[in-house]
Amino acid sequence: MSCSRRDFVSGASALAVVASSGFATSSISLATESEKKTIRYAMVHDEKACIGCTACMDACRETNKVPEGVSRLEILRSQPYGEFPNVQYEFFRQSCQHCSNAPCVQVCPTGASFVDKETGIVDVNPDLCVGCQYCIAVCPYRVRFIHPEKKSADKCNFCRDTNLAVGKEPACVEICPTKALTFGDLNDPNSAVSIKIRENETYRTKVPLGTEPNLYHIPFKAGEKK
Ligand code: SF4
Ligand code: SF4
Ligand code: SF4
């Protein structure tokens, strides 16, 4: 799927929803809570290393049995930069940000959407989900969908119940041929993900909303911010 840079930063309507619901104002208390967690999983997508092969998307679909027509993870390709034949593309990972201050969890009326206390992963319990779609409406990153077979809300959960459950890294991280993805515990200063963030210029999207996303990007061109 192609997408312009402007599309990457769209979401003004989501901003309005969040702002009017007051989610941003409660970020401080929830952040404090997240800091107490033993583990806080995060991911870095190095846009300089990504070649847009989409192997991560396929691995996610296969590992987590995601049906065709919906997706937990997309790699969005920008418009071309430069003149043919010296054309470059920028690739952007779109997936759940595992927000420390997650509006999807706050609006869920049944407790189906939750933050895993041990890891900070935002997940969905399909047995509790009634399919009301409140969480889909309020997610500023537009990464949730109704699973066509389970009829419950779904999205990336860092392979919490698949690869992580058997001691492996998320499927996307495992498969990436260029090591563009780094996953790990942000509360551990010596983890690969902490080191990656410390040693590179990174950015996160829609930070002013107060969601405190845990998906970091190393920009395609140094200094660019979306
Ligand atoms: S990106 Fe969306 S679905 Fe994921 S935790 Fe944040 S608000 Fe929830
Ligand atoms: S669709 Fe399911 S997970 Fe989302 S808000 Fe409704 S009950 Fe909660
Ligand atoms: S597998 Fe790696 S290089 Fe390929 S699109 Fe995904 S992040 Fe980029």
Side-chain angles (χ1 to χ4, degrees):
M1 178 191 297
S2 67
C3 185
S4 70
R5 294 178 57 78
R6 185 168 306 200
D7 289 336
F8 293 168
V9 290
S10 69
S13 57
L15 170 62
V17 170
V18 171
S20 66
S21 304
F23 297 122
T25 55
S26 61
S27 63
I28 294 170
S29 58
L30 283 172
T32 308
E33 210 168 279
S34 78
E35 282 157 12
K36 288 182 200 157
K37 292 186 201 323
T38 317
I39 297 172
R40 180 159 61 104
Y41 280 135
M43 184 174 282
V44 177
H45 179 220
D46 184 348
E47 295 170 1
K48 288 191 291 194
C50 182
I51 55 173
C53 66
T54 69
C56 50
M57 291 171 56
D58 295 340
C60 173
R61 189 176 295 286
E62 191 178 322
T63 301
N64 298 301
K65 306 284 178 274
V66 181
E68 293 295 332
V70 291
S71 178
R72 288 182 169 199
L73 160 64
E74 288 196 69
I75 296 291
L76 306 180
R77 193 180 77 171
S78 71
Q79 293 172 346
Y81 291 94
E83 296 291 326
F84 181 82
N86 299 314
V87 175
Q88 282 189 306
Y89 295 93
E90 177 179 7
F91 299 104
F92 180 83
R93 178 188 170 104
Q94 181 159 296
S95 61
C96 177
Q97 318 275 313
H98 297 280
C99 305
S100 292
N101 184 24
C104 58
V105 172
Q106 295 176 36
V107 296
C108 180
T110 67
S113 280
F114 65 100
V115 181
D116 178 51
K117 288 188 174 58
E118 301 300 316
T119 62
I121 292 175
V122 178
D123 208 348
V124 181
N125 180 345
D127 295 335
L128 293 179
C129 178
V130 293
C132 66
Q133 304 192 29
Y134 290 172
C135 59
I136 293 174
V138 82
C139 171
Y141 301 93
R142 299 175 182 176
V143 293
R144 284 184 168 241
F145 57 89
I146 294 293
H147 193 291
E149 292 158 9
K150 298 181 192 168
K151 310 295 182 198
S152 57
D154 203 296
K155 61 167 197 67
C156 160
N157 65 353
F158 280 156
C159 293
R160 176 171 171 261
D161 53 350
T162 52
N163 274 22
L164 286 197
V166 294
K168 298 199 289 187
E169 292 208 292
C172 55
V173 179
E174 270 196 325
I175 199 85
C176 180
T178 66
K179 309 289 180 212
L181 294 167
T182 307
F183 172 79
D185 179 11
L186 218 47
N187 283 347
D188 174 3
N190 298 316
S191 69
V193 80
S194 293
I195 293 169
K196 199 88 178 177
I197 291 169
R198 202 161 54 236
E199 294 186 347
N200 290 276
E201 180 176 6
T202 60
Y203 73 95
R204 297 177 295 166
T205 53
K206 302 180 184 176
V207 170
L209 296 183
T211 52
E212 301 194 28
N214 287 299
L215 176 60
Y216 290 75
H217 309 261
I218 296 175
F220 171 67
K221 288 180 183 169
E224 286 199 350
K225 297 281 194 298
K226 294 188 178 72

